[in-house]
Amino acid sequence: MGKTIIRRFIIMIPQLFVLSILVFFLAKFMPGDPFTGLITPQTDPARLEELSEKAGLNDPWPIQYVRWIGNALHGEFGISYTFKRDVGDLIGERALNTFWLSLLSVTLLYAIAIPLGILAGRYQNSRLDKTIILYSFITYAIPTFVLSLLFLFLFGYKLEWFPTSGSVDIEYSSGTLQYYWSKFHHILLPAITYAILGTTGIIQFLRSEIIDAKGMDYVRTARSKGIPIKKVYTKHIFRNSLLPIAAFLGFTITGLLGGSIFIETIFGFPGMGQLFVSSIASRDYSVITALVMLYGFLTLLGSLLSDIIMSIVDPRIRIE
């Protein structure tokens, strides 16, 4: 497996290279430039031209790309024109917020979806099964922004159970118990929202796996030997049905990073998703290109992670 993982990482290099070309030139096709927001009736055009020249924006695009990719290989993505900070440091801070949001969201997602999928599959066509299917259809049909706004209005503004923006209350000092509770409190509502929206696929897949497993030969053999039905489910059906679910973990994490763009923006949560949206609005090319490259790398990594997890839980599968 070690050689396969190394080979997959080597294959990522040309993929990321092609992505970098597309990202860089598509960013250049965006209207305006990083200094567009500085224009006022009193702005001196010569000053804007001086800033563009200093930033290297007047150089030919191939030269700008070579300079950018060379710096990126050394971990230097430039300075954010909007935040006046190093892009790497800025993304690092936001990435930590997104990581904790992703971790809690994935935990809640599987904690909700796996029990519901198991119950729906075991009690097929029962009233409980139909209720779970109805829940799945509703959560699948609701757009992300609709449920997010509904939860934000209901639980944030009306009931005031959760904060409506930010990642931590400013009055708490870092390292204190109140500080960590405040961060958890800020993350909880966005995480619950994403978890509810992401359960449909896992519930339906697990339900189908359990229904199919109930008709397999090994299940009928176990039943014929007089093994109690509860033990048949726990030792045979559930164990085998959960194997493919493990493979979804990598793709779930990757999908969360994309979905977090909407979740973080609506809930005002300062993560990578919110940073990405604000950078597009302000034409902050340095941040945009760095984030898209990071998202691309994480997508490839998520695919590899899914293959690795699947090969671990089921040794019969070998990743290529």
Side-chain angles (χ1 to χ4, degrees):
M1 181 186 295
K3 293 182 179 179
T4 302
I5 295 175
I6 294 174
R7 184 168 66 248
R8 290 283 292 270
F9 271 107
I10 293 175
I11 294 175
M12 287 183 188
I13 295 175
Q15 292 174 324
L16 291 173
F17 175 70
V18 173
L19 176 63
S20 69
I21 296 176
L22 294 175
V23 167
F24 182 83
F25 287 102
L26 286 176
K28 291 302 179 181
F29 278 116
M30 293 175 61
D33 57 55
F35 307 112
T36 300
L38 301 177
I39 298 178
T40 65
Q42 292 78 30
T43 302
D44 184 2
R47 175 57 179 165
L48 292 176
E49 182 65 23
E50 179 184 347
L51 291 173
S52 297
E53 183 68 29
K54 184 178 180 180
L57 298 179
N58 294 334
D59 295 337
W61 288 1
I63 295 178
Q64 293 186 48
Y65 171 77
V66 171
R67 181 171 58 239
W68 173 74
I69 197 65
N71 292 333
L73 291 175
H74 290 87
E76 300 175 2
F77 293 95
I79 302 297
S80 168
Y81 299 109
T82 303
F83 296 92
K84 311 301 182 186
R85 296 182 55 195
D86 182 80
V87 172
D89 294 340
L90 179 62
I91 293 178
E93 291 180 0
R94 299 298 186 97
L96 188 60
N97 287 336
T98 298
F99 169 78
W100 290 117
L101 174 61
S102 303
L103 180 62
L104 182 58
S105 298
V106 170
T107 302
L108 293 175
L109 190 156
Y110 276 82
I112 296 171
I114 290 179
L116 292 181
I118 290 174
L119 291 173
R122 179 169 183 176
Y123 302 103
Q124 179 186 4
N125 296 326
S126 66
R127 183 173 298 179
L128 176 61
D129 179 32
K130 293 177 181 178
T131 302
I132 294 174
I133 292 176
L134 178 62
Y135 159 82
S136 299
F137 287 158
I138 293 175
T139 54
Y140 180 76
I142 297 179
T144 301
F145 71 91
V146 172
L147 188 64
S148 299
L149 289 173
L150 176 63
F151 279 11
L152 183 63
F153 174 76
L154 179 61
F155 299 111
Y157 289 102
K158 295 293 289 185
L159 299 177
E160 298 183 353
W161 289 355
F162 298 96
T164 56
S165 64
S167 63
V168 66
D169 293 328
I170 60 176
E171 63 264 25
Y172 299 130
S173 301
S174 178
T176 62
L177 182 60
Q178 294 89 344
Y179 176 85
Y180 291 117
W181 166 250
S182 178
K183 288 190 73 71
F184 175 77
H185 197 204
H186 280 76
I187 292 174
L188 188 55
L189 185 58
I192 292 173
T193 304
Y194 183 86
I196 291 175
L197 291 169
T199 55
T200 300
I202 296 177
I203 290 174
Q204 294 299 327
F205 189 86
L206 184 55
R207 176 181 181 273
S208 299
E209 285 289 313
I210 292 176
I211 292 173
D212 291 342
K214 288 191 295 186
M216 294 294 181
D217 292 337
Y218 67 88
V219 174
R220 287 195 292 265
T221 301
R223 294 293 304 277
S224 67
K225 291 181 179 180
I227 299 177
I229 184 65
K230 183 177 181 180
K231 190 173 182 179
V232 171
Y233 270 99
T234 56
K235 188 175 180 180
H236 298 284
I237 296 178
F238 292 160
R239 179 183 297 179
N240 293 323
S241 298
L242 287 173
L243 294 181
I245 300 300
F248 281 148
L249 180 60
F251 293 109
T252 300
I253 295 174
T254 304
L256 176 61
L257 293 173
S260 67
I261 294 176
F262 299 100
I263 296 291
E264 291 178 3
T265 301
I266 293 172
F267 285 96
F269 186 77
M272 292 195 301
Q274 188 195 53
L275 177 63
F276 185 64
V277 173
S278 64
S279 298
I280 292 176
S282 60
R283 307 294 192 273
D284 201 338
Y285 297 128
S286 300
V287 179
I288 294 171
T289 52
L291 281 175
V292 175
M293 287 299 299
L294 178 59
Y295 281 136
F297 172 74
L298 291 176
T299 300
L300 296 174
L301 192 62
S303 176
L304 176 59
L305 179 61
S306 294
D307 292 341
I308 293 174
I309 293 174
M310 193 62 179
S311 65
I312 292 175
V313 298
D314 191 349
R316 297 170 298 177
I317 298 176
R318 296 182 180 273
I319 59 175
E320 299 294 340

